[in-house]
Amino acid sequence: MAVSMVIRGATLGEAFAELFAVLYDTVKKVRNKDCSFKLHIKNLEPTLDRLLPIVKDKQRSINQIDLSEKKRKSLIEEMKMGETPIRKCSKKRWWNCCFKFCCPTELCELNEDIARFCEDDLEADSTRNDETEISMNLNITTLEKEDSSNLDRPRAFCAVRRPPNFTVGFDMPMMELKTLLLKEEVKQLLLTAPAGCGKTTLVQMLCQDNQIKGMFTDNILFVNVSKTPNVKVIVQNLFSYKGIQPKYQIQSDEEAIYLLPQMLKHIGPNPILLILDDVWLGSEFLLEKFMFNIPNYKILVTSRTAFPRFKHTYNLKQLNEVDAMTLFCRSAFLQDESSYIPEEDIKTIVKGCGGCPLALKMIGGSLCGQHAVVWHSRLLKWSDGHFFFNSDTELLPHLQKSLEFPDDKIIIKECFLDLCSFWAGQRISATTLIDMWAELYELDDIHAIAYLQELTIRNLAKLVMTRKDASEVNSYYNEDFVTQHHIFRELALHQSSQEPMGQRLRLIINISGNNLPKWWMEKKQQLINARLLSISTDESFLWSWCNIEAPKVEVLILNFQTKNYTLPDFVEKTNELKVLIVNNYGFFPVEIKNFQLLWSLPNLKRIRLEKVSISSLCMTLVPVKSLRKISLFMCNIGKAFENCTNKVSYALPNLEEINIDYCNDLVELPVGLCDIVHLKKLYITNCHKLSILPKGTGKLVNLEDLRLRSCTDLSELPESIRSLHKLSILDISDCLSISKLPKHIGELCNLKVLNIKGCLRLRNPLPKSTMDLKQLKIVVCDEERAKLWEPIKEFLTKLKIEMAKKDMNLNWLLK
């Protein structure tokens, strides 16, 4: 819809509003045409986008803006002068419009004047009534723990991670970067270097500097931009990080940019540092959108591209020979006694890495623990080329040579390649990978985690594990996640795409907008032979799914960001499908259509849904006998169990494991869930509104592991759990409202681990029946709760009280 239609009837001065509409529509029409001042038109476009919300706001008046009549007339005349040549350019061939109608200098001046107009308008609004403006658009609240639980993960997206424990060669660059950033005239600063040189690490070190922390305090905002930035999600995450909620859901990029400066002004007057990390070529428009005339507001950008528009740039150099040798030897775990590796071989490899920290760590990790013969053999294989890391296209082929695993570890390479199935820059839940690899490679939990640790040692990925109690080391991974540098993701994509389309065992499809792959658009039905199929779409995807056939797919991963999503029709015929993973990378849960297609699949064993609204889990005419596990993360499931009183056990008769995490609308579990007699694991964590468990919970006679951690409203456990004679682990840690243990807890004859850490209201003496817990080996609790168990230890000689330490490590919240 043309802007002229949008603003019709607006209260802005008629001449200004109509002229803006014409200029805006003209620029949009000609932005992709070739002309000598195309760059200037592209620069003008984001500036007009910033002005658009002001024009569209019907409650504004041009006369309210604190500009003199002379300035208003001057701006209108400049807009007239700018629109005419641009419009004429759109009607001419490119060779006739070069400088004939307009001087690029005039467009630059127009761009600057409109930008100044926007800044004056926002500044004037703030001066007139800053508190009123914020109250109109923002809902400022002090978030209690349970109210903010649904924001915990998004808030972490804007926090700065701590730098690695070991760094070398960054002290001087950090001091130089800090000196440049703190200069008064520096408002925007670009930190640039080739991929893998440690730009993000340097920024992490900078944010740990006492002078930087003292200046910017809590106003350091970190945004990972990556290849396909979403302005709405970025702004929403920034709001959440500062504990501020907009009064209404942000509907557009323009609206997000309109609200952002108000939030930034609200968190002042302390200086603000906005870090835009990993800005790709083509995404630099974000800087234009995030520039505001706010005192003490700075932007630090990291990018592989040295954008020429930046006035202030810091070029991060690669490591010198000494630092490169230090980093490589540490990554390869070479000690002084490791003299069996010829020094010349080490120097040759280090020199070949060109001082790139990422390459040094990765190649060093791949050679760790290898015999000297292997080192020399590897060196000979690499001798056909030289290591240069000036661009990703040169880096990737050489990194590929490091993907050499012995025959008995070849599955680890497959696990590495599977990581590219998820969106770049996103955390991958460890349990998601466990589900995939259990079906693809028949790995159990322990081996899957061991392989992730192997990939971490080789610097191909990073497994981030929460601090665990001794009882959880080999049994609980729901809070662990994996991150991967984009270089390694591209390496995995490159490696996975070497075979012809029809022969690939792993098919990764990334769809931008509505640009489907050509082979998918062909009229004939497409046959896919892959065992793993991953399809990622962005928020502008509007196409209906095309006709493909995937009879051999065992793992299907769907990544999306749209407000509405429909399962592809071809899912109905994926008879070999064992694992379905649906990841919504938008901000709010989305309802999925065509969900009923899943119930006819004969081999579906595991389903994981993230940020999905589930209408019902029981709307199936036939029982899904194959399904063994359901995982729901940050989903809306309040209606999922409606009308399921007597249907849950019929629909899911063989279900063995249920994981429900951060589902904040879950108030109570359905009674019918207690009839799933095969259930072995029930995890309900971080569901702060869950207040009661069904009285029939004791009917889950095969339950072995019950975890209810951080369900802060849960006030008691039902007495019927006395019947859970197979239960070996009971975890009610951080259940703040529980004040007593069940009277007959002693009848849990197989209970080995009890975790009551953080149960602050649990002060009453323990039930007498606790003396009957003969199999109890570990109780995890704090010092005050430990005193309650002292009298019991006389009767339970095998019992060990494990004192829980306060865990200040928040790495599990970060990417």
Side-chain angles (χ1 to χ4, degrees):
M1 180 184 295
V3 175
S4 56
M5 297 296 293
V6 174
I7 67 167
R8 185 169 294 169
T11 58
L12 283 170
E14 184 175 351
F16 179 87
E18 291 183 358
L19 185 55
F20 171 82
V22 174
L23 177 61
Y24 187 95
D25 291 339
T26 303
V27 168
K28 292 293 182 181
K29 289 177 182 178
V30 306
R31 59 179 174 177
N32 293 323
K33 288 184 174 290
D34 289 319
C35 66
S36 61
F37 47 89
K38 179 179 179 179
L39 177 62
H40 300 282
I41 294 177
K42 283 196 170 185
N43 290 335
L44 181 60
E45 185 180 359
T47 306
L48 294 176
D49 286 339
R50 292 176 60 193
L51 184 58
L52 180 59
I54 301 174
V55 178
K56 288 170 63 177
D57 189 346
K58 294 185 178 183
Q59 304 207 349
R60 289 175 176 266
S61 170
I62 192 66
N63 295 322
Q64 287 180 308
I65 300 173
D66 190 18
L67 291 175
S68 67
E69 187 70 21
K70 182 178 180 181
K71 286 185 178 180
R72 288 197 293 271
K73 290 182 179 180
S74 175
L75 182 59
I76 290 175
E77 288 300 317
E78 284 191 72
M79 291 170 67
K80 287 181 180 179
M81 294 174 61
E83 183 275 335
T84 301
I86 296 174
R87 173 171 43 80
K88 290 183 178 180
C89 175
S90 67
K91 299 178 181 180
K92 297 283 185 178
R93 297 189 180 274
W94 68 269
W95 56 79
N96 287 330
C97 70
C98 295
F99 297 100
K100 187 172 181 179
F101 298 102
C102 180
C103 174
T105 303
E106 296 173 0
L107 289 181
C108 291
E109 293 174 354
L110 175 60
N111 186 23
E112 293 173 358
D113 287 343
I114 294 179
R116 193 177 302 111
F117 177 90
C118 297
E119 293 165 357
D120 288 342
D121 172 60
L122 289 174
E123 187 67 30
D125 277 356
S126 177
T127 302
R128 286 193 303 271
N129 198 339
D130 189 48
E131 293 182 358
T132 301
E133 181 69 24
I134 292 177
S135 65
M136 287 173 58
N137 295 297
L138 307 178
N139 182 18
I140 311 300
T141 56
T142 301
L143 300 175
E144 301 296 336
K145 180 177 179 180
E146 60 181 350
D147 293 329
S148 63
S149 60
N150 60 325
L151 300 176
D152 287 346
R153 297 296 177 95
R155 288 177 69 178
F157 292 162
C158 300
V160 186
R161 289 181 61 192
R162 294 178 180 176
N165 293 330
F166 179 80
T167 58
V168 61
F170 284 95
D171 291 341
M172 184 57 69
M174 198 274 286
M175 292 299 298
E176 294 173 347
L177 181 66
K178 181 178 73 171
T179 300
L180 185 57
L181 178 67
L182 294 181
K183 290 184 177 181
E184 184 176 354
E185 67 272 17
V186 176
K187 303 299 182 183
Q188 298 90 34
L189 175 59
L190 172 66
L191 168 59
T192 184
C197 285
K199 299 181 292 294
T200 301
T201 298
L202 182 59
V203 169
Q204 291 168 347
M205 292 180 63
L206 178 73
C207 293
Q208 291 295 316
D209 180 80
N210 290 332
Q211 188 176 359
I212 293 296
K213 290 194 295 185
M215 178 176 181
F216 296 100
T217 60
D218 293 329
N219 286 343
I220 299 179
L221 311 175
F222 185 93
V223 175
N224 183 271
V225 177
S226 295
K227 194 172 185 178
T228 56
N230 185 312
V231 175
K232 288 187 295 184
V233 172
I234 288 174
V235 173
Q236 186 74 63
N237 285 339
L238 288 171
F239 271 71
S240 297
Y241 177 69
K242 298 305 294 183
I244 300 173
Q245 291 180 277
K247 208 169 188 178
Y248 48 83
Q249 183 177 346
I250 298 175
Q251 300 293 334
S252 65
D253 290 355
E254 291 82 6
E255 194 169 60
I257 298 303
Y258 179 58
L259 290 175
L260 180 57
Q262 299 178 47
M263 186 272 283
L264 294 175
K265 290 181 180 180
H266 176 75
I267 66 176
N270 289 332
I272 301 170
L273 176 61
L274 174 63
I275 301 170
L276 302 178
D277 186 51
D278 192 22
V279 177
W280 286 52
L281 183 64
S283 299
E284 62 269 24
F285 69 92
L286 276 181
L287 182 66
E288 296 286 347
K289 290 181 177 292
F290 288 176
M291 287 175 56
F292 307 107
N293 186 24
I294 298 176
N296 300 317
Y297 170 58
K298 293 176 180 285
I299 300 177
L300 174 60
V301 175
T302 74
S303 178
R304 289 168 289 172
T305 303
F307 299 118
R309 66 167 309 283
F310 277 84
K311 182 178 180 181
H312 304 284
T313 299
Y314 182 82
N315 293 285
L316 177 60
K317 298 178 181 179
Q318 295 178 338
L319 299 179
N320 59 39
E321 292 183 8
V322 175
D323 291 334
M325 179 67 76
T326 301
L327 180 59
F328 177 80
C329 290
R330 183 180 177 88
S331 300
F333 296 102
L334 292 176
Q335 307 299 328
D336 294 337
E337 61 269 17
S338 302
S339 56
Y340 62 89
I341 306 297
E343 184 177 355
E344 286 304 313
D345 286 358
I346 298 176
K347 288 184 176 180
T348 301
I349 293 174
V350 171
K351 185 177 180 180
C353 290
C356 174
L358 201 58
L360 289 161
K361 291 172 64 178
M362 180 177 170
I363 295 173
S366 71
L367 292 170
C368 177
Q370 301 291 343
H371 193 274
V373 175
V374 177
W375 280 65
H376 192 67
S377 173
R378 196 78 59 85
L379 190 61
L380 291 176
K381 289 182 180 180
W382 290 337
S383 63
D384 60 343
H386 301 282
F387 290 92
F388 294 104
F389 301 94
N390 295 328
S391 67
D392 282 2
T393 56
E394 294 174 348
L395 177 63
L396 282 173
H398 295 290
L399 290 179
Q400 185 180 4
K401 296 178 182 180
S402 294
L403 292 179
E404 297 183 5
F405 292 86
D407 291 341
D408 61 339
K409 292 186 176 181
I410 197 65
I411 293 180
I412 302 180
K413 178 179 178 181
E414 297 301 317
C415 292
F416 164 74
L417 297 177
D418 289 340
L419 297 182
C420 70
S421 305
F422 303 88
W423 267 16
Q426 298 292 332
R427 293 170 300 155
I428 307 171
S429 169
T431 53
T432 299
L433 298 172
I434 289 173
D435 287 342
M436 292 168 50
W437 296 341
E439 303 302 332
L440 288 175
Y441 314 122
E442 299 182 353
L443 297 181
D444 58 24
D445 295 12
I446 294 178
H447 280 87
I449 293 298
Y451 286 179
L452 286 172
Q453 290 173 334
E454 177 82 11
L455 292 175
T456 300
I457 290 173
R458 289 172 174 261
N459 294 303
L460 293 171
K462 183 177 182 181
L463 172 63
V464 180
M465 304 186 74
T466 58
R467 181 183 298 173
K468 297 181 183 297
D469 303 311
S471 60
E472 299 175 331
V473 171
N474 294 320
S475 62
Y476 187 72
Y477 307 104
N478 283 29
E479 294 176 351
D480 303 338
F481 61 90
V482 178
T483 61
Q484 186 179 41
H485 196 283
H486 76 88
I487 290 179
F488 299 135
R489 183 177 184 273
E490 291 184 21
L491 174 62
L493 286 170
H494 177 76
Q495 185 75 8
S496 300
S497 62
Q498 296 305 298
E499 297 175 332
M501 189 71 62
Q503 299 178 19
R504 297 179 189 175
L505 297 180
R506 180 185 301 97
L507 182 57
I508 313 299
I509 303 173
N510 296 304
I511 302 174
S512 178
N514 296 318
N515 301 315
L516 296 177
K518 291 182 179 179
W519 59 267
W520 200 342
M521 294 293 292
E522 295 177 1
K523 293 183 179 180
K524 64 180 182 179
Q525 193 174 51
Q526 298 298 326
L527 181 63
I528 294 175
N529 292 310
R531 294 182 66 197
L532 185 155
L533 174 61
S534 171
I535 304 176
S536 300
T537 55
D538 60 19
E539 67 170 2
S540 57
F541 178 74
L542 298 175
W543 281 81
S544 59
W545 295 104
C546 298
N547 194 21
I548 64 173
E549 186 177 351
K552 297 182 180 180
V553 167
E554 298 177 40
V555 175
L556 176 61
I557 302 171
L558 301 173
N559 306 310
F560 71 95
Q561 205 173 25
T562 51
K563 294 181 180 179
N564 301 291
Y565 193 77
T566 302
L567 284 182
D569 290 336
F570 70 80
V571 171
E572 189 175 16
K573 298 180 180 180
T574 54
N575 291 331
E576 296 298 319
L577 187 64
K578 298 177 181 178
V579 182
L580 174 68
I581 299 168
V582 180
N583 296 315
N584 170 19
Y585 290 115
F587 195 79
F588 297 100
V590 171
E591 185 170 355
I592 294 181
K593 299 178 181 178
N594 264 4
F595 203 72
Q596 72 279 0
L597 297 179
L598 302 177
W599 305 138
S600 62
L601 300 178
N603 293 302
L604 185 61
K605 295 182 180 180
R606 302 166 186 254
I607 296 176
R608 175 182 169 86
L609 307 177
E610 180 170 337
K611 279 188 271 189
V612 171
S613 292
I614 303 172
S615 56
S616 177
L617 285 174
C618 306
M619 293 181 62
T620 173
L621 299 178
V622 295
V624 188
K625 295 182 179 180
S626 61
L627 196 63
R628 298 292 187 269
K629 180 179 179 180
I630 290 180
S631 300
L632 307 174
F633 176 66
M634 295 185 77
C635 292
N636 286 344
I637 62 173
K639 298 181 180 180
F641 299 110
E642 286 185 357
N643 303 318
C644 288
T645 304
N646 300 313
K647 296 180 181 179
V648 179
S649 60
Y650 171 78
L652 310 169
N654 297 314
L655 198 64
E656 296 179 354
E657 183 174 349
I658 298 177
N659 279 301
I660 302 175
D661 191 23
Y662 283 96
C663 295
N664 297 299
D665 65 340
L666 179 65
V667 177
E668 59 180 319
L669 292 176
V671 175
L673 185 141
C674 301
D675 295 324
I676 307 178
V677 294
H678 294 288
L679 199 65
K680 295 181 180 180
K681 295 181 179 181
L682 177 59
Y683 296 170
I684 305 176
T685 55
N686 302 294
C687 296
H688 299 276
K689 294 184 179 180
L690 179 67
S691 58
I692 189 171
L693 295 181
K695 293 182 179 180
T697 302
K699 293 161 53 175
L700 298 172
V701 293
N702 289 301
L703 197 65
E704 300 173 0
D705 193 345
L706 175 61
R707 299 182 189 265
L708 304 166
R709 53 172 38 180
S710 296
C711 294
T712 53
D713 272 4
L714 185 63
S715 58
E716 63 179 1
L717 299 176
E719 286 293 338
S720 67
I721 70 166
R722 64 196 291 185
S723 301
L724 304 180
H725 295 157
K726 292 186 179 182
L727 190 69
S728 62
I729 298 176
L730 176 60
D731 183 352
I732 56 173
S733 58
D734 296 314
C735 288
L736 304 178
S737 300
I738 290 182
S739 59
K740 62 180 181 178
L741 296 178
K743 180 178 180 180
H744 299 288
I745 192 173
E747 297 183 26
L748 299 177
C749 56
N750 200 43
L751 187 66
K752 295 179 175 62
V753 177
L754 175 63
N755 192 333
I756 55 174
K757 174 183 63 177
C759 294
L760 303 181
R761 294 189 181 181
L762 192 62
R763 301 189 182 94
N764 298 322
L766 299 175
K768 293 182 180 180
S769 67
T770 52
M771 293 186 293
D772 298 327
L773 296 172
K774 303 301 182 181
Q775 299 298 318
L776 189 62
K777 296 180 179 180
I778 298 176
V779 172
V780 182
C781 60
D782 54 35
E783 185 175 354
E784 183 177 351
R785 256 50 60 182
K787 296 177 182 178
L788 301 176
W789 287 90
E790 288 300 326
I792 308 297
K793 290 178 66 176
E794 298 180 11
F795 301 92
L796 305 178
T797 56
K798 297 180 181 180
L799 179 61
K800 177 184 177 182
I801 306 298
E802 183 179 316
M803 301 293 290
K805 297 180 180 179
K806 292 184 178 180
D807 188 359
M808 301 304 292
N809 184 358
L810 299 180
N811 283 342
W812 64 277
L813 282 174
L814 305 177
K815 287 174 56 178

